[in-house]
Amino acid sequence: MRASPARYNRDVLRDRLLGGLVAVGSIAMLATGASLTPDHAGHGTHTQLGMPACGWAIAFDRPCPTCGMTTAVSQLAHLDPLGSLATQPMGMLIGAGAAVAFWAGLHAGLFGVRLAPITRPLTGARAWWLIGGLVVAAWVYKLLTWTG
């Protein structure tokens, strides 16, 4: 059974709006990263956004699981992918994911294509276990390279 023209138009409009929101959100993250100056210590860049210093790092003199991610995104936004990777591998992947999401969202917004087929592989349990493993691996890396 085919969808009615009115339903088809609503679906395309919804897909365009969702794509536009994804593009705007992704570019906002990258633009924020570009507006910051990456901290040379490899962490602490988030304080330029008015956020407090990391309580975990202060209390334990060890990085938290997200330590360095803002710095890594900022480095990537400043076109320093190797510096970003060295700072916080997961942060670099998040920044790269935002760049991909921007282009995918822009494409969906302009042409009304669905994002679901693109994002479906990211919604399964296997993907979440992989993402969790990458977060833990990046945290271990940060623990091993931590200079305080």
Side-chain angles (χ1 to χ4, degrees):
M1 177 180 219
R2 296 185 62 167
S4 69
R7 171 152 175 112
Y8 174 79
N9 288 337
R10 273 194 316 271
D11 290 347
V12 170
L13 179 61
R14 181 200 61 221
D15 294 337
R16 286 178 186 264
L17 289 173
L18 180 60
L21 286 172
V22 167
V24 168
S26 300
I27 201 67
M29 183 199 339
L30 294 171
T32 300
S35 73
L36 302 173
T37 302
D39 194 300
H40 295 292
H43 57 89
T45 302
H46 68 279
T47 60
Q48 295 172 44
L49 296 169
M51 300 168 80
C54 179
W56 184 311
I58 292 169
F60 303 114
D61 191 32
R62 294 284 178 256
C64 73
T66 62
C67 189
M69 287 194 185
T70 305
T71 305
V73 169
S74 181
Q75 287 172 311
L76 192 66
H78 283 95
L79 304 179
D80 181 13
L82 294 179
S84 177
L85 182 65
T87 295
Q88 202 342 323
M90 192 64 197
M92 190 274 298
L93 289 175
I94 288 170
V100 170
F102 167 74
W103 290 108
L106 184 64
H107 179 74
L110 292 174
F111 300 107
V113 298
R114 301 195 68 210
L115 287 173
I118 299 168
T119 60
R120 190 169 290 120
L122 299 174
T123 60
R126 187 176 301 169
W128 285 105
W129 279 107
L130 175 63
I131 292 167
L134 289 171
V135 169
V136 170
W139 184 26
V140 169
Y141 168 81
K142 197 67 179 178
L143 285 165
L144 294 173
T145 60
W146 180 257
T147 57

